[in-house]
Amino acid sequence: MRSSLDFQHGDLTGRIIKAAVAIHRKWGPGLLESAYRNALHVELRHMGVRIRKEAPVSLEHRGELIGPAFRADLIVEEQVIVEVKAVEKLAPVHARQLITYLKATGLEVGLLLNFGASSMREGVTRVVNSL
């Protein structure tokens, strides 16, 4: 059974993954994360998707603004955070980092895309902020 998040974000995350697959098929693993992030930015723009690259995110702690606390690799349609990696294997800390980013922004869904994987099928991790 599909959750409401699947219906709300499924098309958008599907388009992001489709773009990542196209990039990975063309270039394969081995480039810098910044090259994949920039290529994904271009690919999504060409699909007509609104996207912010290396978006600074500030936090409020005890009523005071701190930050920027981090820079999100990509924020797509103000709905999905995309974190780009180019490593042999993801570590558990990568998903935890994305969960923290989701909590900080109030967004519900994130994609962790590892272009270092042998195929994008192995390189996609969907992360949900359970709020």
Side-chain angles (χ1 to χ4, degrees), residues 33-102:
E33 287 178 11
S34 59
Y36 293 114
R37 180 180 53 245
N38 292 339
L40 190 56
H41 183 254
V42 168
E43 191 75 23
L44 290 169
R45 268 195 2 250
H46 280 268
M47 295 170 99
V49 176
R50 288 181 301 126
I51 186 167
R52 290 192 294 140
K53 182 174 66 169
E54 296 185 84
V57 177
S58 296
L59 301 175
E60 185 179 308
H61 182 74
R62 294 187 175 259
E64 295 184 35
L65 197 59
I66 59 170
F70 65 92
R71 292 186 181 275
D73 283 343
L74 303 169
I75 298 179
V76 182
E77 294 285 344
E78 301 301 323
Q79 296 177 45
V80 177
I81 294 180
V82 178
E83 274 301 300
V84 175
K85 300 295 180 196
V87 294
E88 185 175 335
K89 184 176 179 182
L90 291 174
V93 69
H94 294 124
R96 290 193 300 263
Q97 177 185 37
L98 185 49
I99 289 169
T100 300
Y101 290 2
L102 291 170

Side-chain angles (χ1 to χ4, degrees), residues 13-30:
T13 57
R15 292 174 73 190
I16 296 165
I17 293 167
K18 180 179 178 181
V21 167
I23 292 163
H24 196 271
R25 281 187 180 149
K26 180 170 183 166
W27 300 109

